[in-house]
Amino acid sequence: MSTTTPAVNTSDQPGSGASPHARRFGLPVATCLVMGNIVGGGIFLLPASVAPFGTISLVAFGVLSLGAIALALVFGRLAGRLPQTGGPYVYARAAFGDFAGFLAAWSYWITTWVSNAALAVAAVGYLTVLFPAVGSHTWSMCLGALAVQWLPALANLAGTRYVGAVQLVATVLKFAPLLLVAVGGLFFFDPANLGPFRGTDQSAIGAVSAAAAILLFSYLGVESAAVSAGEVRDPARNVGRATILGTLGAATVYLLGTVAVFGLVAHDTLVSSAAPFTDAVNAMFGGTWGGTLVACAAVVSMVGALNGWTLLSAQTPYAAAKDGLFPKAFARRSRGVPVVGVVVTVVLASALTVYNYTSGTQGVFEVLVLVTTFTATVPYLLSTAAQIYFLVSGQGERVAPGRLVRDGILAAVAFGFSMWLVAGSGYEAVYQGVLFLFAGVLVHAVMSARKQRASGARQ
């Protein structure tokens, strides 16, 4: 196993060149990147997605929040030791070599573009509130989903300077309706709306695990600052802080917001709702004006999340391409952005969106969410395993002796948490996720052969 830390190539990092379109992120923008990617579109649709499980899904949310915080702390530690663009890819490769690094990069890349498709599907539910004609036909819904994917992609192609600006504005705007429901909704809370504690015939543990598998989508993004470490000023210090602050803020809003929606919208209505936060605000104030404002904020939120996720989707392939594990085209930058990664990702997400709409809209969001749950756990598992490896191997330059026990417990909790999420994803999601994963083995074989041949030619 290779324990060599990949060299940091700073020549093409934002801020190192003269382009006015490239700019490094400070702590506030890095924190907004984490919060914006976590609190993206998931929270606006997930209360309806987990309502069929009953209020036991609130227990799943609580457990998930604790696991996500443990995972955030682990990523903060890892980013402090290896502050390079690529996040999980960098950690897995440093600990276990090229193949593990490739699996982390490949799986994370799949997670980003599949989750982009899922976010776009979620956005359509709120677009139909603003523009009812969007929901009149399958193809109009599909076109709406494609539009909210390509607009953030164009913002990314304009440069990292604009990515940060869009992310900051979107994060501020999205919290207005979330805080309105999360705090104000508690004054209108009606316990009669909660419905059954267990809405399925599963065991309590099974129901919590199944609900958590869907809810994980709402916490994807805890690694956002770590993946974009090369774009963050003073990453050894700011990445960890941004990760922890962003995750804690998101967890607080999530828990309060979900509880409020459950108490504002009748259970039978919530199960079939396409815009649960709109329904919640309408229940608070009557009429539809409040719900329309929430729908506007939800669309802005999701476009902002897609803005951040589009950047992340290109960063991991970029890091892997610099090491010869992804095609060289992914290493090309323009205005601080890996252009090929952005374009390829949005094309794949668009193709997946079209496929899912043409095969039937029923359950599209849930299917996409469960696939990303599985693919996300692969880099999470490899990252936490890398942290355990660093701790157990006693590498002094990576582990402070006084933190050994604390970091070991956090890493073990995060690893167990990730394994639990794999189990809760369900057979279908694991099956589809494994197919995606195994397809990457062939890509790795070709890239490794080319890398070996190039190495031999230089000797």
Side-chain angles (χ1 to χ4, degrees):
M1 291 182 295
S2 169
T3 58
T4 303
T5 301
V8 182
N9 187 333
T10 60
S11 62
D12 58 356
Q13 297 287 11
S16 60
S19 173
H21 304 287
R23 179 177 297 174
R24 287 188 176 232
F25 304 145
L27 179 61
V29 173
T31 301
C32 285
L33 183 65
V34 176
M35 292 189 71
N37 285 353
I38 295 176
V39 186
I43 184 58
F44 287 100
L45 194 60
L46 282 171
S49 297
V50 297
F53 295 102
T55 52
I56 196 171
S57 55
L58 296 175
V59 177
F61 233 138
V63 174
L64 195 62
S65 297
L66 294 176
I69 290 169
L71 202 57
L73 290 168
V74 170
F75 275 117
R77 300 284 186 271
L78 287 167
R81 295 167 192 134
L82 297 166
Q84 303 164 36
T85 292
Y89 159 74
V90 173
Y91 315 142
R93 180 171 179 258
F96 309 122
D98 284 353
F99 184 60
F102 174 83
L103 285 180
W106 180 261
S107 187
Y108 190 76
W109 183 52
I110 291 170
T111 299
T112 56
W113 59 264
V114 174
S115 66
N116 279 4
L119 276 171
V121 171
V124 169
Y126 284 90
L127 276 175
T128 57
V129 175
L130 303 174
F131 308 103
V134 173
S136 62
H137 192 273
T138 298
W139 278 110
S140 62
M141 296 170 69
C142 183
L143 289 174
L146 292 176
V148 297
Q149 289 180 54
W150 279 92
L151 288 175
L154 294 175
N156 270 263
L157 293 174
T160 53
R161 174 180 183 178
Y162 305 102
V163 174
V166 171
Q167 200 65 34
L168 189 61
V169 172
T171 300
V172 171
L173 290 178
K174 80 178 60 177
F175 273 91
L178 289 174
L179 291 175
L180 174 65
V181 174
V183 179
L186 297 178
F187 294 97
F188 298 85
F189 190 91
D190 183 356
N193 289 328
L194 293 177
F197 180 67
R198 271 197 349 228
T200 66
D201 57 1
Q202 296 171 287
S203 66
I205 294 177
V208 169
S209 297
I214 293 178
L215 290 170
L216 172 66
F217 181 79
S218 62
Y219 275 112
L220 293 181
V222 297
E223 72 292 333
S224 298
V227 172
S228 297
E231 281 63 57
V232 178
R233 288 195 297 268
D234 191 8
R237 177 178 180 176
N238 286 334
V239 167
R241 291 184 174 187
T243 300
I244 294 165
L245 289 174
T247 304
L248 285 172
T252 301
V253 172
Y254 273 170
L255 288 171
L256 289 177
T258 305
V259 169
V261 170
F262 271 51
L264 285 167
V265 183
H267 181 261
D268 292 342
T269 302
L270 183 59
V271 168
S272 58
S273 175
F277 272 78
T278 289
D279 293 338
V281 173
N282 287 340
M284 290 168 63
F285 301 111
T288 60
W289 65 270
T292 300
L293 290 178
V294 170
C296 288
V299 172
V300 170
S301 172
M302 294 178 198
V303 171
L306 282 163
N307 177 66
W309 273 109
T310 301
L311 174 65
L312 293 187
S313 68
Q315 297 290 23
T316 299
Y318 163 79
K322 296 293 289 183
D323 295 323
L325 298 180
F326 257 58
K328 289 182 180 180
F330 285 89
R332 296 174 187 166
R333 278 183 181 267
S334 176
R335 300 184 176 188
V337 175
V339 176
V340 174
V342 170
V343 173
V344 171
T345 295
V346 73
V347 168
L348 288 172
S350 298
L352 183 59
T353 301
V354 172
Y355 169 76
N356 278 280
Y357 271 112
T358 54
S359 63
T361 58
Q362 185 65 34
V364 170
F365 180 77
E366 287 78 7
V367 170
L368 294 177
V369 163
L370 288 173
V371 171
T372 58
T373 296
F374 172 77
T375 56
T377 55
V378 175
Y380 289 174
L381 283 168
L382 288 170
S383 296
T384 53
Q387 173 72 335
I388 292 171
Y389 169 78
F390 293 147
L391 293 170
V392 174
S393 64
Q395 298 180 44
E397 75 277 13
R398 293 189 175 95
V399 183
R403 298 177 178 174
L404 183 61
V405 175
R406 183 189 64 185
D407 286 359
I409 292 173
L410 280 174
V413 169
F415 186 87
F417 169 69
S418 299
M419 287 293 291
W420 175 57
L421 290 171
V422 171
S425 299
Y427 292 108
E428 183 180 358
V430 172
Y431 170 75
Q432 294 180 15
V434 167
L435 289 179
F436 277 123
L437 202 60
F438 281 0
V441 175
L442 179 61
V443 176
H444 180 264
V446 173
M447 296 307 303
S448 294
R450 293 178 61 182
K451 184 179 180 182
Q452 182 66 30
R453 185 164 55 185
S455 177
R458 287 194 298 265
Q459 292 177 354

